[in-house]
């Protein structure tokens, strides 16, 4: 573990920048149906903001996985 005292201003800025494209869970849930439908019909479809949220949010990632399973039958 890195102690908070080891964080340089640059590291802090990098951390803050990483959270910028994050959607809230509400925004994620509002878009997740459409996102999964498009992913199922087009494997190349990307939504960076949504995927960033899914990568950091187990609840929404589980929702997306369940939806995808449903759509794929
Ligand atoms: Zn979420």
């Amino acid at each position: 573990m890195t102690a908070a005292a080891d964080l340089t201003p640059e590291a802090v800025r990098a951390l803050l920048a990483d959270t910028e494209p994050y959607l809230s869970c509400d925004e994620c849930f509002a878009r997740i149906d459409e996102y999964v439908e498009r992913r199922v019909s087009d494997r190349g479809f990307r939504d960076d903001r949504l995927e960033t949220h899914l990568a950091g949010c187990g609840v929404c990632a589980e929702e997306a996985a369940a939806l995808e399973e449903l759509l794929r039958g």
Side-chain angles (χ1 to χ4, degrees):
M1 281 298 272
T2 304
D6 291 338
L7 283 176
T8 63
E10 288 76 22
V12 171
R13 262 198 295 278
L15 284 172
L16 291 175
D18 276 346
T19 64
E20 198 180 308
Y22 256 46
L23 299 168
S24 69
C25 283
D26 280 351
E27 287 173 304
C28 184
F29 270 112
R31 296 167 56 169
I32 204 163
D33 283 21
E34 191 192 338
Y35 167 75
V36 173
E37 274 173 31
R38 292 183 74 166
R39 281 285 287 183
V40 168
S41 59
D42 175 8
R43 280 187 167 277
F45 177 75
R46 301 295 305 267
D47 184 329
D48 286 343
R49 294 180 76 214
L50 207 112
E51 281 165 31
T52 303
H53 181 88
L54 292 182
C57 179
V59 178
C60 291
E62 228 172 83
E63 177 74 13
L67 265 173
E68 185 168 334
E69 213 177 290
L70 203 80
L71 285 173
R72 289 189 193 280

